[in-house]
Amino acid sequence: MAAPCGEQIHRQVQDYYGKELQKSEDLKTNACVTSSRPPLKMVRDALEHVHEEVVARYYGCGLVVPECLASCRILDLGSGSGRDCYLLSQLVGEQGHVTGIDMTESQVEVAKKHIAYHMDKFGYQKPNVEFLQGYMEKLGDVGLADESYDIVISNCVINLAPDKRAVLREAYRVLKPGGEMYFSDVYASQHLSEAVRKHRVLWGECLAGALYWRDLYDIAEKVGFSPPCLVTASPITISNKELESIVGNCRFVSATFRLFKVPESSRAGPGQVIYNGGIVGHEKELVFDANFTFKEGEVVDVDAEMAAILRSSRFAEEFLIRASGANTAAPQSCCRKGVKEKICNPFQLLERLAAPGPASSPGGTCGPPGCC
């Protein structure tokens, strides 16, 4: 029996999330509910303002909330019942805007039903959220224009799409220059077997469509994104013996990555940066990813890729950025010989975080070679 085609996958996922699942407790793994770091107080407070039905019908990998959001335009791929959209609606403010798109009609209906409730709760004069029914592989079909968003987010949904490259290609298209794709998803430690890829429940549980983590780097490069920045990772457990036997020795992880649409004009070699402490909720330090933590007022050497990201993105005003001196050049990729490699393997990050001692904290480069 061959693995299901794209149309079959869409239909199976719609049935699973629209009919079979009624609450998070119905899930058979923790793939869609795990969270890798505790949220900020302002995020917890914002979440308390979201309608209980929206929260109850939402399935995702914890919370997907990037920093520095005031007045941003955000697109949520696979927005479901709208929990993250309503959360972000508060963080972007009334001058910002959040669009959610989902292919499952019943989920979109739940999200739309509560727009007036939330706008009244937030004290907004007019809605700054909208919900569209459609496919994240075909954003043009619902009228989303080129270079129209500052940030694209997704919460444990891209694995449900049969064509991951099309999803990233569309996200890249709608992002403004310097824009970011910030997303959590499920990744596998190896390419998946035919038995896993054709299993209906494993599709719904976010496992059968999981990318082999290395493939994300290949797809991102081909689409045009900067190399993925690994932010966090959490192990996924399977609580069903039958599903566990089908999966075999393949391991799964929920990981958050950030990709940037970096203009060529922003690339100017490695640099030194100083964080000014101006991002709300991150005044003392900004944990950007598993390799870079920026403390207020501290000089940090960064590679050419990170310098270009900071220079071209919404983070530019939060940093003093200058070219490196002759003796401060940093590695320009995570896979060059002769330099310490960045952490880019989410499974290696899990091992590092579990290890005792200072090596378990983010902000440095990994020890063992071969992370890429």
Side-chain angles (χ1 to χ4, degrees):
M1 178 179 176
C5 68
E7 186 176 336
Q8 287 176 303
I9 292 168
H10 282 148
R11 188 165 56 249
Q12 289 174 6
V13 171
Q14 284 175 317
D15 287 344
Y16 199 71
Y17 283 85
K19 298 176 182 178
E20 294 192 30
L21 296 183
Q22 297 301 315
K23 54 189 183 301
S24 295
E25 288 75 15
D26 294 334
L27 293 163
K28 297 173 178 62
T29 74
N30 69 338
C32 295
V33 295
T34 185
S35 181
S36 48
R37 68 163 76 154
L40 296 172
K41 183 181 184 301
M42 66 178 186
V43 175
R44 296 197 305 271
D45 291 345
L47 189 58
E48 289 181 1
H49 296 150
V50 180
H51 194 282
E52 60 183 12
E53 183 184 11
V54 170
V55 175
R57 291 292 302 273
Y58 191 84
Y59 318 103
C61 307
L63 291 166
V64 180
V65 185
E67 317 84 1
C68 202
L69 299 180
S71 299
C72 283
R73 287 181 54 82
I74 300 179
L75 172 64
D76 183 1
L77 303 179
S79 52
S81 62
R83 187 201 67 174
D84 286 0
C85 290
Y86 287 124
L87 171 63
L88 293 167
S89 166
Q90 300 169 73
L91 301 181
V92 300
E94 197 166 4
Q95 302 307 311
H97 185 83
V98 183
T99 301
I101 182 170
D102 200 279
M103 68 178 179
T104 305
E105 183 179 7
S106 61
Q107 289 283 75
V108 175
E109 286 176 352
V110 171
K112 285 183 174 181
K113 183 169 72 173
H114 297 293
I115 291 178
Y117 167 87
H118 288 100
M119 296 306 103
D120 181 64
K121 187 87 170 174
F122 306 160
Y124 292 171
Q125 295 299 308
K126 60 180 182 178
N128 72 341
V129 295
E130 64 175 335
F131 296 99
L132 306 172
Q133 185 178 356
Y135 297 101
M136 53 189 167
E137 303 98 320
K138 300 177 180 180
L139 300 178
D141 287 358
V142 293
L144 300 188
D146 295 358
E147 300 184 359
S148 53
Y149 289 93
D150 301 293
I151 305 167
V152 173
I153 70 160
S154 182
N155 195 338
C156 200
V157 173
I158 295 175
N159 64 84
L160 300 174
D163 189 348
K164 274 77 168 170
R165 183 172 300 185
V167 175
L168 265 65
R169 188 166 56 238
E170 279 291 87
Y172 186 88
R173 179 183 67 79
V174 302
L175 278 171
K176 300 174 184 177
E180 176 183 14
M181 185 174 184
Y182 185 97
F183 64 110
S184 290
D185 220 293
V186 178
Y187 298 91
S189 60
Q190 61 194 48
H191 287 115
L192 300 177
S193 68
E194 182 87 352
V196 171
R197 290 190 296 111
K198 71 183 183 183
H199 199 281
R200 188 184 66 86
V201 173
L202 287 175
W203 266 106
E205 292 286 327
C206 303
L207 300 184
L211 268 181
Y212 173 38
W213 69 269
R214 290 178 186 264
D215 290 345
L216 173 65
Y217 286 79
D218 293 336
I219 294 172
E221 179 182 7
K222 287 181 172 68
V223 167
F225 279 114
S226 60
C229 299
L230 173 61
V231 182
T232 60
S234 296
I236 289 174
T237 57
I238 301 173
S239 56
N240 182 288
K241 290 294 183 184
E242 179 187 350
L243 298 183
E244 198 173 345
S245 66
I246 295 169
V247 165
N249 63 358
C250 183
R251 293 183 297 150
F252 295 91
V253 64
S254 167
T256 300
F257 285 93
R258 54 198 329 165
L259 313 177
F260 287 84
K261 185 176 180 176
V262 178
E264 282 302 318
S265 59
S266 296
R267 300 185 182 279
Q272 290 184 327
V273 303
I274 302 174
Y275 173 48
N276 66 19
I279 299 177
V280 176
H282 305 270
E283 291 84 358
K284 294 300 181 183
E285 69 174 22
L286 172 64
V287 181
F288 194 84
D289 64 9
N291 298 288
F292 289 104
T293 294
F294 302 106
K295 296 185 177 181
E296 181 191 13
E298 183 176 270
V299 178
V300 179
D301 289 322
V302 296
D303 57 29
E305 201 63 55
M306 182 57 64
I309 287 171
L310 296 178
R311 189 179 292 115
S312 64
S313 69
R314 67 188 187 282
F315 294 100
E317 295 183 1
E318 311 300 334
F319 286 86
L320 171 64
I321 306 171
R322 61 195 182 203
S324 290
N327 297 321
T328 59
Q332 295 189 29
S333 76
C334 68
C335 303
R336 283 184 58 186
K337 291 185 177 180
V339 300
K340 286 187 177 181
E341 295 166 316
K342 288 183 180 179
I343 303 175
C344 45
N345 179 346
F347 294 94
Q348 185 185 41
L349 177 59
L350 284 180
E351 294 169 3
R352 178 174 177 157
L353 293 174
S360 63
S361 61
T365 50
C366 64
C371 74
C372 298

